[in-house]
Amino acid sequence: MSYHSGTIHTVRFSPNGRYLASGADDKIVCVYILDPNPPSHASTFGTNEPPPVENWRIFRRLIGHDNDVQDLGWSYDSSILVSVGLDSKVVVWSGHTFEKLKTLSNHQSHVKGLTFDPANKYFATASDDRTIKIFRFTPPGPNSSAHDQMNNFMLEQTINAPFSSSPLTTYFRRCSWSPDGNHIAAANAVNGPVSSVAIINRGTWDSDINLIGHEGPVEVCSFSPRLFAKEPPTKATQDGKGHSTQGLVTVIACAGQDKALSVWITSNPRPLIITQDLAVKSISDLAWTPDGRSLFATSLDGSVIAVVFEDGDLGFGVGLEENEKSLAKFGAGRRGVGIIEGTDGLLLEEKSKAGELRGVEGRMGALMGDGEGKSEKAVNGSGIATPMSGINVNGPGAMNSIDAQNGRSNQQNNDWLATTHAQHDPNTAKVESLKQRVTITKDGKRRIAPMLVSPSGAAESSLPRSRLMAASASNYGAKDDAPQSILDLSKPFDGLPKGGLAALLLGNKRKLAAIDGEDEGHVEKSIMTSSRNGAVPILANTIDGLIPVQSSAGSIGQQPTPDFIRPAVINPSLLVSQVRLAVPKVRVHIVRNLKASGDKPSSFALSNGGVPSSDASLSAAGDVVLEARNPTAVVTTRQQDREPSRITVTKRGQGLWQDFLPKCVLLVTGNRHFWSVACEDGSVYVWTPAGRRLVNAMVMESQPVILDCRNWWLFCITAVGMCYVWNIKTLESPHPPVSLAPVLDIAVHGLQSHPTHAPAVTSARLNSAGRIVVSLSNGDGYTYSPSMFTWQRLSEVWWAVGSQYWNSTDSSVGNIQSSADQATKDIATTSVSAGIIPHLERNTTNEMLVRGRAYALQRMIKSLLSREGFEGFESGVSVAHLENRVAAAILLGAKEEFRSYLEMYAKRLGAEGLKLKVGELLRGLLNGMSEEDSTVEGGEDAPSRFESGRSWYGAGEELCGWPRRELLKSVILILGKHRDLQRVTVPYANLLGVMDEQASVNPMVS
């Protein structure tokens, strides 16, 4: 195989035996695949080489390095290929599509060595910057893209100590990971002035063992893939499960610039074998056979040396199950391929793999721009197929096909296509107007401004083909599933203070105050004396503690409120509530523009079939403004005799209506449906767009601190943390008032005897269904469930530091809403809560990870990953995070996000082989489709306050807006390739008829 144009430095087979990869100094990585057909040529012309036995053909050329490629490595499950080179880069490639997933530029000099952890958790790279860097990774799936792996392949540790003075003259630094996963053998280390091989311990990443014996620097190390025992395996040396009871050892071979080969065994402090002058030049690479009995060495002199060991030379090799037993403590999930138990299982596996392959090919085709021919033709009402996106409709081939179908001339077809395109393309009229745009020059002459037109016609575009296809498909009415940036949350007019709205928690436990001049315990004695006859002593709750109330003459008349505490008017609820939120100051002038609420004038300009309604006539333009002016002077000498506050609504400077309020205004809000203001005495007023009061003043228990609206919903939070939501259209509330105390950690601080600062409220908003969504400065995100009357936590820092899916986009997970939903008129019901879950997770990242507040938790979790008993920690947290996302999507009614998260969850369950959870998931999806499962034990329908389709076990054939049958089928196709789960999945596949569909498509499978 002569596909490289330079010296080849490394060749590696993939562990699954399917691919062969090579790297050379031509900066290219070549991937080969074995062709079952015989070679097309017998031998190279002009040489005496024997003809090739196998036909390895080039499969991919990977371009990603700027200098020589020095080493390659495959992960043990063949999911990724990693290449390193003299450009100081570490490039990660997908082992399925060979797409570049990530480029790591952590090293400061040439990278010359690479090794993978057999437990498939880490890989290590060695560089001339005298460091070895350990990277943690999660094996990516077949459909993963570079965007999905943004938070994968993270630097875990940098090791410096054994290499602080290592020479820079070596051409390679090939390190090796032991088969039991416990150690890394690092080449080109030093022990004082002597060259050595450093043995690095897993987890602590320190080195306390050095292999000393080579005269020159060691360039390559290689562990034997087998573990060895001193005695041959017999029944006497095995336990009941067939595992060896002997102490197992590892074997390592080392070589380098001194042309010597040494073989070490971990039970002996001295080398087992040392061979001097094995080659004429330096030894460049070592490789063991899978049985660990033969060793091959390559040298820069062009020779390949084979070393064969007899039985007992190194010990006696044990089975690979001993390797798996050693790796199990590191969480290596190596499950068997399983056995097909019937034709149904084979059919399901074929369909699952075919669907997965279509997903990969579709994404790669979109990236490469070769998907035009696969797109379906959309047929219009006249029965004529519209041209496919990305194809030049003016070409003769396209027109001939239409002529043959309809018998019309080319001119007729051109006219028809132009008319159809003008009807479907809303930009056509805009382009025509630009072509005829008239400008006036400096000398007063009128000229038509030239417009740049592509030389190949207006149908061509300079955009990449994939973008052009998406744009054309949307223009011709085809479905476009590209994710759209839509966040279904209100946009409050009044921004919260920097750092969020401050909160304070007051504990219930209060101690008795110490009174000056009184003996110790005098207060307690007086209280006990006064309560002997059943009387209840009256105590005052002061700042210093509890004291007996002193009798005093009452004040006459109304007492003025000092200016320095306004607008904190004393209210009885403030004396008993345990929550305090910061109250906004009284502002002289508050202005609310209708545009600030995010309402578009075009969305409510006309109604009633084109006749302007009263509301629309007032709000058709985007310059309707509400102004609240608070008084600045006192009419009389009394503080309470102030001028009234003025509420004015204007349109283009012309007054529409005006009203007056007796108290100062704190907050205002409004949209095209209503206006609302909140005053310092706790009153909330609501007007129609024409200025008619809808309801009487709603009186709160304390001052409102947040006032917001969304469609017909009005939202208010008071200074004592009470949240109110009203539907102004029906004059109802979806749930009773709810306190913010639970989300502010009142359960932790409620029993303390002193005030405690609580997390600040960074945002409190509504979605279009009237759900409260709150985010805090500690990174947590909450929503209130009106059906369960409780707060539910949707995002927290625990997932951010422990889950492998944090900030991941395995599917279209970002602020998503498909164009199919946008095409419907009732967009409010189809886009409920779009993007809320990613929004809350981004808030957690910004508040905790970006600002470094979760550093201690990150360190603790990192230390847990290498401890015994926590092997499944990362996997368990990741699965729990996906379950949290799925439950949150159901709660919020996030249709598109629910589908994406459900598929991610199914993929992870299949990879982990969790049969119990898979069975529960499938039963939950089937529940609404079965009449037996939709009733309770008594035979009657189970009463539920849930909205339709918001419960796994609720009645109905839909779940979160999706047909249960469609969801069940997609999950079965994802899980179908896992043979160990087919006993669970095949019955459901038979129930849905998946096998029949597959059999009709692929008649070769019987």
Side-chain angles (χ1 to χ4, degrees):
M1 296 182 291
S2 303
Y3 296 100
H4 284 287
S5 60
T7 304
I8 299 174
H9 295 154
T10 176
V11 179
R12 297 286 185 266
F13 278 100
S14 63
N16 59 12
R18 184 178 182 185
Y19 300 109
L20 174 67
S22 63
D25 60 8
D26 58 0
K27 313 173 189 177
I28 296 176
V29 177
C30 290
V31 180
Y32 312 89
I33 190 171
L34 181 61
D35 193 338
N37 298 319
S40 58
H41 57 280
S43 60
T44 305
F45 178 76
T47 65
N48 295 325
E49 295 180 0
V53 178
E54 297 180 334
N55 185 15
W56 287 86
R57 60 179 177 85
I58 190 74
F59 183 68
R60 289 285 190 275
R61 286 184 175 89
L62 310 181
I63 301 175
H65 285 277
D66 300 326
N67 210 327
D68 300 3
V69 178
Q70 290 294 100
D71 205 359
L72 296 171
W74 295 85
S75 64
Y76 275 73
D77 61 352
S78 301
S79 61
I80 60 172
L81 169 67
V82 177
S83 60
V84 299
L86 300 184
D87 55 359
S88 307
K89 292 180 181 179
V90 178
V91 183
V92 183
W93 312 86
S94 169
H96 307 280
T97 63
F98 296 99
E99 175 187 353
K100 185 194 295 184
L101 297 180
K102 198 168 186 178
T103 299
L104 307 171
S105 302
N106 300 83
H107 283 290
Q108 306 301 318
S109 187
H110 310 320
V111 188
K112 297 181 176 179
L114 170 71
T115 183
F116 267 89
D117 170 24
N120 227 38
K121 302 293 182 183
Y122 304 99
F123 64 85
T125 57
S127 169
D128 273 353
D129 59 6
R130 295 189 171 101
T131 65
I132 281 185
K133 295 188 182 294
I134 311 294
F135 295 90
R136 169 178 286 274
F137 75 98
T138 301
N143 294 330
S144 297
S145 63
H147 185 66
D148 301 336
Q149 304 302 316
M150 290 176 60
N151 295 311
N152 202 355
F153 313 109
M154 305 305 292
L155 180 64
E156 176 82 6
Q157 185 73 23
T158 299
I159 305 170
N160 301 292
F163 318 101
S164 56
S165 58
S166 62
L168 303 178
T169 57
T170 57
Y171 203 60
F172 300 104
R173 291 176 180 255
R174 303 193 199 273
C175 42
S176 180
W177 212 301
S178 64
D180 59 0
N182 285 318
H183 304 98
I184 302 174
N188 201 9
V190 291
N191 188 355
V194 183
S195 296
S196 68
V197 176
I199 305 298
I200 300 170
N201 301 314
R202 183 195 186 102
T204 58
W205 310 116
D206 57 357
S207 174
D208 51 6
I209 300 176
N210 287 275
L211 306 182
I212 301 175
H214 284 268
E215 298 177 357
V218 177
E219 295 193 14
V220 55
C221 304
S222 180
F223 272 102
S224 172
R226 293 296 184 100
L227 298 175
F228 290 86
K230 291 184 178 180
E231 300 294 334
T234 60
K235 291 185 178 180
T237 60
Q238 294 179 348
D239 57 11
K241 297 182 179 180
H243 296 301
S244 176
T245 57
Q246 304 181 67
L248 302 180
V249 296
T250 55
V251 176
I252 180 175
C254 307
Q257 289 186 355
D258 58 357
K259 312 165 194 172
L261 172 67
S262 64
V263 179
W264 305 70
I265 192 168
T266 53
S267 61
N268 195 337
R270 295 180 178 275
L272 192 66
I273 301 170
I274 293 183
T275 57
Q276 300 288 345
D277 296 327
L278 189 65
V280 178
K281 294 185 179 180
S282 300
I283 296 176
S284 59
D285 207 353
L286 297 171
W288 291 86
T289 54
D291 61 1
R293 298 182 58 182
S294 301
L295 175 66
F296 295 89
T298 61
S299 173
L300 296 181
D301 61 7
S303 62
V304 178
I305 302 104
V307 181
V308 180
F309 298 94
E310 297 181 355
D311 290 339
D313 288 346
L314 303 175
F316 296 90
V318 296
L320 291 177
E321 60 271 9
E322 296 295 337
N323 294 34
E324 297 178 6
K325 178 184 175 183
S326 301
L327 296 173
K329 61 184 179 181
F330 302 121
R334 296 188 172 185
R335 299 183 289 111
V337 296
I339 300 174
I340 291 292
E341 299 184 1
T343 56
D344 288 344
L346 184 60
L347 288 170
L348 182 59
E349 182 179 351
E350 289 290 331
K351 185 155 184 80
S352 175
K353 291 183 177 180
E356 192 174 74
L357 184 60
R358 281 197 300 269
V360 174
E361 292 177 347
R363 184 168 52 81
M364 289 300 295
L367 291 174
M368 302 301 296
D370 57 356
E372 297 91 337
K374 297 181 181 180
S375 59
E376 298 180 358
K377 295 183 179 181
V379 180
N380 59 18
S382 61
I384 302 173
T386 59
M388 289 183 293
S389 56
I391 298 180
N392 188 358
V393 298
N394 296 322
M399 300 314 302
N400 291 334
S401 63
I402 300 178
D403 294 343
Q405 200 172 27
N406 300 283
R408 297 191 299 182
S409 64
N410 285 344
Q411 183 62 36
Q412 290 175 330
N413 283 324
N414 284 329
D415 295 341
W416 174 81
L417 284 172
T419 305
T420 304
H421 185 69
Q423 292 175 352
H424 289 280
D425 191 358
N427 295 323
T428 303
K430 193 178 298 183
V431 172
E432 292 298 328
S433 62
L434 289 175
K435 289 181 179 180
Q436 302 297 328
R437 186 176 58 185
V438 178
T439 59
I440 300 176
T441 61
K442 294 181 180 180
D443 54 1
K445 296 182 179 180
R446 300 166 67 88
R447 294 288 185 268
I448 296 179
M451 177 183 175
L452 179 61
V453 180
S454 173
S456 58
E460 296 295 330
S461 172
S462 61
L463 293 174
R465 181 63 64 181
S466 58
R467 293 188 182 181
L468 180 61
M469 288 167 55
S472 302
S474 61
N475 288 340
Y476 285 102
K479 181 178 178 181
D480 181 15
D481 288 329
Q484 308 294 328
S485 296
I486 292 180
L487 179 60
D488 182 31
L489 282 178
S490 57
K491 298 178 181 179
F493 170 69
D494 286 311
L496 296 179
K498 185 178 181 181
L501 193 66
L504 189 69
L505 300 179
L506 302 180
N508 287 329
K509 185 178 180 181
R510 302 294 286 162
K511 62 182 180 179
L512 297 173
I515 302 177
D516 296 339
E518 300 288 347
D519 296 336
E520 185 177 357
H522 175 75
V523 177
E524 291 88 339
K525 293 178 182 178
S526 61
I527 293 175
M528 292 176 61
T529 302
S530 61
S531 59
R532 283 179 181 176
N533 298 325
V536 179
I538 300 177
L539 303 176
N541 189 5
T542 65
I543 297 177
D544 298 325
L546 300 175
I547 61 173
V549 175
Q550 303 293 329
S551 59
S552 59
S555 302
I556 300 175
Q558 186 175 4
Q559 300 298 313
T561 302
D563 272 340
F564 65 88
I565 67 170
R566 291 186 70 246
V569 179
I570 301 300
N571 191 293
S573 63
L574 293 175
L575 300 178
V576 297
S577 174
Q578 292 182 266
V579 178
R580 302 284 195 280
L581 297 179
V583 180
K585 295 181 179 179
V586 174
R587 291 165 286 180
V588 176
H589 189 201
I590 306 174
V591 180
R592 169 78 175 199
N593 192 318
L594 200 58
K595 289 182 179 180
S597 65
D599 288 327
K600 297 180 180 179
S602 59
S603 63
F604 51 85
L606 294 176
S607 61
N608 301 327
V611 179
S613 64
S614 59
D615 292 352
S617 63
L618 297 177
S619 306
D623 52 3
V624 179
V625 178
L626 181 142
E627 297 181 73
R629 295 183 179 272
N630 291 318
T632 57
V634 181
V635 179
T636 65
T637 57
R638 297 192 304 170
Q639 187 76 13
Q640 62 269 24
D641 293 337
R642 291 178 177 268
E643 294 179 357
S645 299
R646 287 183 295 163
I647 306 297
T648 306
V649 175
T650 60
K651 175 183 177 183
R652 297 180 182 146
Q654 300 295 324
L656 297 180
W657 59 268
Q658 190 176 46
D659 204 344
F660 300 91
L661 299 176
K663 299 295 182 180
C664 292
V665 175
L666 293 181
L667 302 168
V668 300
T669 188
N671 55 26
R672 64 190 179 99
H673 299 298
F674 61 87
W675 296 102
S676 180
V677 301
C679 298
E680 65 171 343
D681 62 348
S683 302
V684 177
Y685 300 85
V686 181
W687 294 272
T688 64
R692 179 172 56 90
R693 293 202 183 193
L694 275 176
V695 294
N696 299 324
M698 297 181 288
V699 183
M700 307 294 105
E701 72 281 351
S702 59
Q703 292 78 25
V705 297
I706 293 178
L707 190 68
D708 195 13
C709 63
R710 173 80 170 176
N711 296 334
W712 283 101
W713 300 101
L714 179 61
F715 174 45
C716 177
I717 298 181
T718 64
V720 295
M722 296 300 294
C723 301
Y724 295 84
V725 178
W726 304 284
N727 188 325
I728 302 302
K729 186 175 183 179
T730 61
L731 298 182
E732 295 176 346
S733 178
H735 53 78
V738 55
S739 175
L740 280 177
V743 305
L744 297 177
D745 294 336
I746 191 65
V748 178
H749 304 289
L751 298 180
Q752 296 181 359
S753 59
H754 53 81
T756 306
H757 285 286
V761 180
T762 55
S763 72
R765 301 158 75 176
L766 284 178
N767 71 346
S768 51
R771 299 287 179 88
I772 306 173
V773 179
V774 177
S775 61
L776 305 178
S777 59
N778 62 359
D780 291 352
Y782 298 87
T783 187
Y784 186 76
S785 172
S787 56
M788 300 183 69
F789 297 135
T790 183
W791 289 99
Q792 294 192 16
R793 186 187 296 112
L794 306 187
S795 177
E796 57 182 312
V797 70
W798 177 253
W799 309 126
V801 298
S803 172
Q804 298 170 343
Y805 291 91
W806 189 254
N807 286 343
S808 67
T809 52
D810 186 30
S811 184
S812 302
V813 172
N815 303 328
I816 56 175
Q817 180 192 12
S818 68
S819 58
D821 294 335
Q822 291 183 358
T824 61
K825 295 182 179 179
D826 192 10
I827 193 171
T829 58
T830 57
S831 64
V832 173
S833 80
I836 293 180
I837 302 172
H839 167 74
L840 293 177
E841 291 190 353
R842 283 194 297 269
N843 175 73
T844 304
T845 300
N846 295 333
E847 292 290 343
M848 301 303 294
L849 300 185
V850 175
R851 300 187 182 184
R853 297 176 180 173
Y855 179 71
L857 184 59
Q858 287 175 312
R859 291 197 60 182
M860 182 196 72
I861 290 179
K862 185 179 290 187
S863 64
L864 288 179
L865 294 177
S866 58
R867 285 175 52 185
E868 188 173 356
F870 291 88
E871 294 85 4
F873 174 83
E874 194 171 24
S875 174
V877 173
S878 300
V879 172
H881 180 216
L882 290 178
E883 292 169 349
N884 185 79
R885 280 179 166 180
V886 172
I890 293 178
L891 173 64
L892 294 170
K895 180 181 177 181
E896 300 293 336
E897 293 169 34
F898 171 73
R899 181 70 176 266
S900 300
Y901 293 143
L902 180 65
E903 292 179 354
M904 293 171 66
Y905 181 56
K907 290 177 184 177
R908 187 56 184 254
L909 292 184
E912 297 287 341
L914 302 176
K915 292 184 180 180
L916 293 178
K917 289 191 174 182
V918 168
E920 280 190 353
L921 176 63
L922 297 179
R923 285 195 299 271
L925 291 173
L926 183 65
N927 188 76
M929 300 164 55
S930 172
E931 296 182 359
E932 298 178 359
D933 294 336
S934 61
T935 59
V936 294
E937 295 180 0
E940 300 178 356
D941 291 341
S944 175
R945 299 187 65 257
F946 285 96
E947 299 178 30
S948 177
R950 295 292 180 87
S951 171
W952 287 101
Y953 304 106
E957 295 190 358
E958 287 193 353
L959 179 61
C960 201
W962 294 97
R964 289 178 180 264
R965 179 178 293 273
E966 181 180 344
L967 294 176
L968 182 60
K969 183 177 179 180
S970 65
V971 170
I972 288 175
L973 291 179
I974 291 173
L975 298 171
K977 66 178 181 179
H978 300 284
R979 295 184 179 179
D980 53 343
L981 299 175
Q982 286 183 353
R983 286 191 177 183
V984 181
T985 56
V986 167
Y988 291 92
N990 287 328
L991 180 64
L992 296 179
V994 177
M995 308 307 179
D996 300 334
E997 298 176 8
Q998 176 64 13
S1000 62
V1001 174
N1002 188 4
M1004 297 179 63
V1005 181
S1006 60

